[in-house]
Amino acid sequence: MTKKQEIIKMGHPTLRKVARELSDSEIQSKEIDELVKSMIKSMRDVGGIGLAAPQVNVSLKLAIIEIDEQDRYDTDIDYGLQVFYNPEITPLTDETQAFWEGCLSVPGLRGLVSRPNKIKVTYKTRDLEVREIIAEGFLATVFQHEFDHLIGKLYIDRISDLQNLGYEDELQKLED
Ligand code: NI
């Protein structure tokens, strides 16, 4: 049975470290397969759309993303489960867009973050294929948020005006 991993929160030093790349043999190892399985379980248990290995206190360049159509993110993207080994991001434009972001490692808060609205993601699959994805809009933000965890960044570092950081329940009241 796969155990779920505890998700660490802001203040834990691992969240601020630059994660290490995985070697090809590590990518295909049983240990990493187990880690990925437990990350999937942890993410699904709390209804997250992404989880990076540093969030379960493992400083490796690995993240998972799974987006179901979800009202709370006001998006119609349905993006099945994907595992990204050693992902890299290249912005493809200077144009930015702002979305309200939240993070499992910063529970209860939301912040408005501007990021490039078109990016290229390069990563390895478990079969060691190098793949590229061009992402725009909300998906571009999701990738940037998740992969920031691999370089020791949290979304709150990217908020230009801290007035745009607040508790989810208060922000929700404003919306209603
Ligand atoms: Ni996060």
Side-chain angles (χ1 to χ4, degrees):
M1 212 183 75
T2 301
K3 263 184 29 198
K4 78 170 184 181
Q5 314 257 118
E6 196 195 330
I7 295 173
I8 59 174
K9 290 185 285 193
M10 182 168 63
H12 193 298
T14 300
L15 290 172
R16 294 314 200 164
K17 281 189 201 152
V18 176
R20 167 176 81 70
E21 287 217 343
L22 293 116
S23 67
D24 286 353
S25 61
E26 282 178 318
I27 289 173
Q28 297 190 314
S29 69
K30 278 209 175 80
E31 289 75 17
I32 295 300
D33 286 347
E34 281 307 310
L35 171 65
V36 169
K37 267 198 237 166
S38 65
M39 284 172 61
I40 293 168
K41 185 161 178 19
S42 303
M43 176 181 69
R44 287 178 176 166
D45 277 3
V46 290
I49 60 174
L51 190 65
Q55 293 181 277
V56 294
N57 199 17
V58 176
S59 194
L60 291 174
K61 271 182 96 173
L62 164 65
I64 58 175
I65 289 175
E66 183 177 49
I67 305 173
D68 296 324
E69 281 188 47
Q70 282 182 78
D71 289 339
R72 70 187 168 117
Y73 287 104
D74 190 26
T75 174
D76 55 3
I77 296 172
D78 197 339
Y79 192 79
L81 180 73
Q82 293 247 45
V83 185
F84 298 88
Y85 301 89
N86 299 336
E88 293 286 347
I89 281 184
T90 314
L92 298 178
T93 173
D94 292 333
E95 265 175 63
T96 60
Q97 61 187 352
F99 283 103
W100 286 92
E101 297 186 21
C103 181
L104 298 174
S105 294
V106 191
L109 293 172
R110 297 261 150 184
L112 189 64
V113 187
S114 288
R115 301 180 185 271
N117 68 11
K118 192 173 183 188
I119 57 158
K120 181 175 79 177
V121 176
T122 311
Y123 66 101
K124 267 191 186 172
T125 65
R126 195 189 176 284
D127 299 329
L128 308 179
E129 265 180 70
V130 177
R131 289 223 185 125
E132 265 184 29
I133 296 174
I134 308 287
E136 291 180 73
F138 180 69
L139 194 55
T141 274
V142 173
F143 281 127
Q144 290 172 89
H145 175 116
E146 288 314 322
F147 302 160
D148 260 359
H149 281 298
L150 308 177
I151 55 168
K153 292 272 183 204
L154 296 171
Y155 80 84
I156 54 155
D157 308 339
R158 310 278 192 199
I159 299 175
S160 49
D161 180 354
L162 281 173
Q163 291 198 22
N164 291 323
L165 177 67
Y167 287 95
E168 216 166 5
D169 49 354
E170 295 292 351
L171 294 165
Q172 194 64 51
K173 282 184 216 159
L174 292 179
E175 254 177 50
D176 294 342

